[in-house]
Every structure is written in C-alpha cells, then in structure tokens.
Amino acid sequence: MAGIRTGICSGRVVAVTGAGRGLGRAHALAFAAEGAKVVVNDLGVGLDGSGASGGPAQGVVGDIAALGGEAVAHGGDIATADGAASLVATALDAFGRLDTLVNNAGFLRDRMLVNLGEDEWDAVMRVHLKGHFLPLKYAAAHWRAEAKAGRTPRARVVNTSSGAGLLGSVGQGNYSAAKAGIVGLTLVAAAELGRYGVQVNAIAPAARTRMTERTFAETMAAPGDGGFDAMAPENVSPLVVWLGSGASEGVTGRVFEAEAGRITVMEGWRPGPTADKAARWTPAEAGEAAYELLARSETPQPVYGVQPSS
C-alpha cells in the first residue's frame, strides 16, 4: 500500500461501521494499510437512510484486497441487536478475534425544531446513538468474556461524535442531541470497561463527506498549491488508527477534534465560577448570584449556524 506505513495495527482485527463511503471508508483503508484485517460494515443506504445496497461495502473490501490487505463485508443493520451481534460474530468467524471497534455509521434528517418530525428524530437517534450502543455492547461482552477467561485484550473503541454534539448546530437538533449522547456513552463505557482491557474514546471529525457537503460548502476549496486537501476524510483517519491500535495505551475516556492537519483535545464540562450561600436561595437571590457568576465565566462557543452579532 502506498505511502509510509509503520504496521502499527499489524495482527489486529478491526470492525468499522458505515465504512462503505466517506470517513468510514477512509478509516477502513487506513487500518488495512497499517496491517489490520478489517470487517467493513455498511448498509449502502442513501444520505437520509433510505434504500440499501451491498455495493459500497463490497467495493471497499475489493479496494483493500487490491492493495494486498484482508477484509470481509458485513451488511447487517448495527442499530438492531441481531445486526450488532452478527458484526462481532463476523469478525470472530472470519479472523478469529476482534481488537478494535470503530463506530461511524450515520445519516441525516435535518430540520429546524418546529418542523422536525417525530419519525425524523427517532431515525437519527436510532442510527447514531443506538447504532453506537449496540455494537459497543456486543463487542464489550466478548471482551469481558475474554478477560474473565484469562485472556485480557488490548481492545479499543473509537466512537464518532461531532462538533454539532459539542456545540450544537442550527437545523440539526436531532443530530446534535444524538452526537452529544455519544460523548456521554463514551465516558461511561471508558469507566466501566477499563477493567476488561478496553479503552474507549471519541472523535469529533470535520471532513468532506456526503453528510457535510452543505455544511462545509464555503470551505471545501480544492487543494492548495501544496496539494493538501484540507477537507479530505483521509486526514482524520491517522488519529483513529492510532486510537484503535495498541500504541494508544492509557488513553481512554477522551474526545478529540480532528480536521485537516489539526488535532485538538476537547475539554468538556467542568466546574466554573460558583457561589454557596450555605442556605436556600430566594428566586431573586439565585438570579442575582447567577448573573454575577455568568459575568465571571467564559463565554460559550457559538452554536454552528448562528450568525455572529455585528
């Protein structure tokens, strides 16, 4: 495979959901390039989750094979118990083990809140949040069994959140809520699964994919004079590969932003200014205290899509 390779994932088996296109495809190819055997999951659905085709997953398997790697396709719906369980089973049947799970599958049903239908809310919650929970649940059950049998793994999970989940995004209330939920799920899973040799982290990527064509329309310029395509999904994959490798020992429960050539550790909610009366406040007192605390606090980052005030 082309480029400088280190074999950082040699011998590892990696399952990537939503790997038929975009970021998932880039991750699958990057893992294979570093020596991993890959389970390529994809339903082959449209941007809104409609339709289904095995073509995208099989295409990525073919690309990996053409470059000298090993991969198998998985067409199950990972937002169902059967589909998630079969993802893990496919890795074990094909390669005899599972070392890394990359949860990446998703689609959009964007609407302003007053126009957002219940079915559109449920569909996005299902594929993003439930579609993270179920593969994580079944992979974790396998790794727990391995640890209890005296074969403690060096397992890794990389979840996919978003800047929309960290800051919010106008017109994406369902997507933002689901992606925020993934951060919470990541923190809990990291705390619960560490005893079994499992590390769980999340990324908030920014790249050119079907899901972001409208969001990044103004920043999706062609590569500059240096040939660096800042919005290429392949820019995000090196961090995902490292987090999914044994080399990331000790890194768990963290969230990273990855975009172009930039990696940022995101620092979540932590206590800011506080006031303690040591007794019950009246509403007026609580309001006065809140105003005073807000005056000493940092201004939040703006929600995506909010126009800056003049």
Side-chain angles (χ1 to χ4, degrees), residues 13-305:
V13 174
V14 180
V16 184
T17 70
R21 302 182 179 94
L23 282 166
R25 178 181 184 275
H27 300 340
L29 290 169
F31 273 108
E34 292 294 346
K37 299 174 182 178
V38 185
V39 179
V40 179
N41 163 266
D42 203 280
L43 282 177
V45 299
L47 180 59
D48 64 353
S50 61
S53 168
Q58 290 291 352
V60 175
V61 170
D63 291 340
I64 290 173
L67 295 170
E70 295 184 59
V72 295
H74 176 264
D77 182 354
I78 46 79
T80 67
D82 287 346
S86 71
L87 176 68
V88 176
T90 296
L92 300 179
D93 292 345
F95 303 122
R97 60 186 297 130
L98 176 64
D99 300 285
T100 298
L101 169 65
V102 179
N103 284 316
N104 170 77
F107 57 70
L108 297 175
R109 299 278 179 89
D110 291 354
R111 295 282 189 277
M112 300 298 279
L113 284 173
V114 295
N115 296 320
L116 183 61
E118 185 178 356
D119 59 335
E120 293 166 327
W121 174 274
D122 290 344
V124 168
M125 284 292 172
R126 178 184 181 276
V127 69
H128 287 280
L129 194 50
K130 192 176 181 183
H132 271 62
F133 160 63
L134 286 173
L136 175 56
K137 169 186 170 72
Y138 285 99
H142 165 68
W143 289 323
R144 182 182 64 175
E146 288 290 287
K148 289 186 174 182
R151 299 183 297 270
T152 300
R154 297 176 72 194
R156 306 288 187 261
V157 178
V158 184
N159 291 329
T160 306
S161 182
S162 168
L166 303 177
L167 298 177
S169 179
V170 170
Q172 294 188 309
N174 48 2
Y175 179 75
S176 297
K179 289 302 191 183
I182 287 167
V183 172
L185 177 64
T186 298
L187 301 180
V188 172
E192 291 185 356
L193 302 179
R195 71 189 72 178
Y196 305 122
V198 185
Q199 294 181 182
V200 187
N201 294 284
I203 60 164
R208 180 180 57 252
T209 69
R210 292 189 303 164
M211 288 176 55
T212 60
E213 285 177 349
R214 285 177 293 178
T215 304
F216 296 137
E218 295 181 0
T219 60
M220 286 186 176
D225 295 338
F228 178 55
D229 183 352
M231 299 309 296
E234 290 78 9
N235 298 331
V236 175
S237 299
L239 175 62
V240 175
V241 170
W242 181 79
L243 288 171
S245 76
S248 60
E249 188 66 34
V251 180
T252 193
R254 306 306 295 264
V255 179
F256 297 84
E257 265 195 350
E259 175 186 357
R262 184 176 71 248
I263 296 171
T264 304
V265 176
M266 302 303 289
E267 298 181 338
W269 293 106
R270 60 184 65 226
T274 187
D276 185 356
K277 182 183 177 182
R280 182 178 300 154
W281 303 88
T282 67
E285 289 173 335
E288 183 179 349
Y291 272 129
E292 191 275 330
L293 294 173
L294 289 168
R296 293 193 281 122
S297 68
E298 294 187 12
T299 302
Q301 294 293 306
V303 172
Y304 287 108

